[in-house]
Amino acid sequence: MFVLIGFYNYTVWLTYIGMLSSVVGITLACGGHPVAAVICLMFSGFCDMFDGIVARTKKDRTAEECSYGIQLDSLSDVICFGVFPVVIGVSVGANEWWQITIMALFALCGLIRLAYYNVTEEVRQKTETGKRKHYLGVPITSSALTVPLLFCFEGLLGRNFPIAYTLLLLVNGALFVLPVQVKKPGKTGLAIMLALGVVCTVLILIFGRS
């Protein structure tokens, strides 16, 4: 019997869907529709917010399934929250050499942070039980919230928006690799981020340029 490699149970569905949303968003950004792309970015962030919660509901996951979930999540995050924001930046006019350089470094910082997280998480799971309580460095998924927040002010920033966007990725990328301890959000934190996402979506849909 022919069987595809990989795992396809419900614990990974949200990660798969989130990655597909970002690929659709990348094509929208390349086609000159950055606002629609940002909506896709937020949806990918929503999927990432709950994929871990969904995965933990399956109590009989094998060690291989758990490791696969960690690797899959990080590989998806590279696309969704590392590469995708750079494509959005180019689509809004951040295409000067220095802007491309900064955004490339943003993606690199995201990649470094994810690889470091994977290594430390594997070590932690061998010595600790339960969920991680703190992150070292701001999670790369934060771009799913910071980028839409900036887009809410696109009209006010006008022609300066591409510069503001570049500076946002500069700061965001630096926070990926700075050794700052960030508390993992609980139910209240997730609810606040979800509410912010809804508000951003409404504002972007109302005031977005395309």
Side-chain angles (χ1 to χ4, degrees):
M1 181 179 177
F2 175 75
V3 179
L4 294 172
I5 63 171
F7 296 95
Y8 301 92
N9 57 57
Y10 74 90
T11 63
V12 295
W13 288 351
L14 278 178
T15 306
Y16 290 156
I17 293 169
M19 191 282 294
L20 291 173
S21 172
S22 286
V23 172
V24 171
I26 288 171
T27 63
L28 288 169
C30 291
H33 303 286
V35 170
V38 171
I39 300 299
C40 289
L41 175 64
M42 283 191 287
F43 181 72
S44 294
F46 171 82
C47 291
D48 185 81
M49 188 183 300
F50 294 102
D51 62 0
I53 296 173
V54 171
R56 285 190 291 272
T57 63
K58 193 174 190 297
K59 302 302 181 183
D60 59 344
R61 283 193 300 165
T62 64
E64 188 178 32
E65 287 176 320
C66 291
S67 181
Y68 178 82
I70 293 173
Q71 300 301 326
L72 179 71
D73 188 66
S74 289
L75 290 169
S76 176
D77 286 352
V78 170
I79 298 170
C80 300
F81 314 115
V83 175
F84 189 11
V86 174
V87 178
I88 293 175
V90 174
S91 74
V92 298
N95 47 28
E96 298 289 338
W97 69 267
W98 62 273
Q99 293 174 310
I100 297 297
T101 300
I102 288 174
M103 292 191 295
L105 289 173
F106 161 86
L108 176 61
C109 288
L111 177 67
I112 292 169
R113 193 229 177 275
L114 287 168
Y116 183 79
Y117 170 82
N118 282 9
V119 172
T120 56
E121 181 63 13
E122 286 185 359
V123 172
R124 187 194 71 81
Q125 289 187 5
K126 292 178 182 178
T127 58
E128 301 177 15
T129 58
K131 298 184 295 183
R132 177 185 286 265
K133 295 182 179 179
H134 293 87
Y135 295 116
L136 190 63
V138 173
I140 187 175
T141 50
S142 61
S143 62
L145 189 58
T146 57
V147 168
L149 280 172
L150 183 64
F151 262 80
C152 291
F153 302 96
E154 184 183 13
L156 292 175
L157 292 167
R159 290 182 297 177
N160 294 318
F161 183 74
I163 295 176
Y165 189 93
T166 307
L167 294 177
L168 170 69
L169 294 199
L170 175 64
V171 174
N172 219 158
L175 291 174
F176 292 160
V177 292
L178 286 175
V180 293
Q181 195 174 69
V182 180
K183 185 177 180 180
K184 187 174 182 178
K187 293 181 179 179
T188 302
L190 290 175
I192 292 173
M193 287 189 288
L194 186 59
L196 280 173
V198 172
V199 171
C200 285
T201 301
V202 173
L203 291 175
I204 291 170
L205 288 174
I206 294 174
F207 301 109
R209 65 178 181 178
S210 61

